[in-house]
Amino acid sequence: VKYPLKYILKKKNKNVCYIMSAKGFHQLEAAEGIVKAAFALIGMVAEQFVPDGPHLKLYNYEEKQWNHLMNWQHGTMYLFYGMSGLVDIMAHTSSAVPLAMDRLMFSTAAFVEGFMFYYHVHGRLMLDVHVHQLLLVAIFGVAFCLFLEVFLRGNLGLELLRTSFFILQGTWFWQIGFILYPPNGGAEWNLLDSNNMMFVTMCFCWHFAFSILVVA
């Protein structure tokens, strides 16, 4: 909603909406940074202190093995998004931080998320690995768009494409949950069936089409 509305008001030279003025837009970006940092902090705390979480212990000396590395990986992803939120706040409330740093740090956070997910599924079954690999398309798509926005800030096409990749990432997370953990005791997917891989790949494209329609 934000980027199309900003474009329309700018094209018509209308300042009927304060939040879409230059000052209002900076305040909106800073507010989003606060929300991003807050949710990232909540995510990191939750990953550590859920009942079966690591509780800040990286290594289990009794069993002589790493302790809940999945939680630590998730926490690392949240950490970088939290850093991105802090940079957003500083970039849009202070002239000391170059404005382009918000997109650069956001791009870095998305890249780290994809990088961590790439090494998140080693040793899993075929379909489990495949659905996560498809997720990487959306994540690295976001990272690439954000990196281009460092140099092409305000490009509506990039902003809308990035938004569609974000929506794709969100809906595909839900789809992964339904595939790997069928709700209400539903029939389990055969994680070794190549036909399931073909269907899931097609389904991913449907999700992408849906995200584009939402943005449109």
Side-chain angles (χ1 to χ4, degrees):
V1 174
K2 180 174 68 175
Y3 295 115
L5 184 59
K6 174 187 171 185
Y7 173 75
I8 292 171
L9 293 177
K10 182 179 179 181
K11 187 175 181 180
K12 294 185 176 182
N13 293 318
K14 292 183 178 180
N15 290 318
V16 294
C17 181
Y18 168 75
I19 203 66
M20 287 297 111
S21 65
K23 184 177 180 180
F25 199 75
H26 280 299
Q27 292 177 349
L28 179 61
E29 293 278 8
E32 287 185 1
I34 294 172
V35 173
K36 193 191 302 182
F39 275 99
L41 179 60
I42 292 170
M44 286 189 289
V45 172
E47 288 291 342
Q48 288 294 325
F49 296 105
V50 291
D52 61 342
H55 297 272
L56 301 179
K57 294 181 180 179
L58 181 58
Y59 192 80
N60 189 326
Y61 288 97
E62 295 178 357
E63 299 182 8
K64 295 184 178 180
Q65 64 181 13
W66 298 107
N67 190 30
H68 294 87
L69 284 184
M70 287 290 187
N71 298 72
W72 281 101
Q73 282 197 331
H74 293 155
T76 302
M77 298 176 198
Y78 286 126
L79 171 64
F80 275 84
Y81 277 107
M83 292 167 61
S84 173
L86 294 177
V87 171
D88 286 351
I89 297 168
M90 293 186 291
H92 291 279
T93 58
S94 170
S95 58
V97 179
L99 192 58
M101 289 300 296
D102 67 339
R103 296 293 189 265
L104 183 60
M105 191 62 225
F106 204 175
S107 174
T108 302
F111 172 80
V112 169
E113 180 191 3
F115 182 69
M116 298 294 288
F117 265 118
Y118 180 77
Y119 291 102
H120 199 64
V121 292
H122 283 203
R124 297 193 187 185
L125 296 178
M126 182 175 64
L127 187 61
D128 192 347
V129 173
H130 185 60
V131 295
H132 283 87
Q133 288 175 338
L134 292 173
L135 178 65
L136 293 180
V137 175
I139 296 174
F140 285 128
V142 168
F144 183 65
C145 288
L146 283 165
F147 181 73
L148 290 180
E149 286 182 53
V150 174
F151 309 100
L152 300 171
R153 193 179 191 89
N155 185 296
L156 181 66
L158 280 177
E159 290 171 340
L160 295 182
L161 180 60
R162 186 235 307 174
T163 303
S164 68
F165 275 126
F166 260 123
I167 295 172
L168 174 61
Q169 182 180 344
T171 61
W172 194 246
F173 266 124
W174 279 95
Q175 186 67 64
I176 290 175
F178 276 90
I179 292 173
L180 300 182
Y181 312 102
N184 302 321
E188 294 187 0
W189 289 62
N190 184 347
L191 300 182
L192 296 175
D193 188 349
S194 59
N195 285 326
N196 282 340
M197 288 186 64
M198 291 177 64
F199 171 77
V200 164
T201 304
M202 181 173 61
C203 187
F204 179 80
C205 295
W206 293 345
H207 277 257
F208 194 22
F210 170 77
S211 70
I212 292 173
L213 288 174
V214 170
V215 172

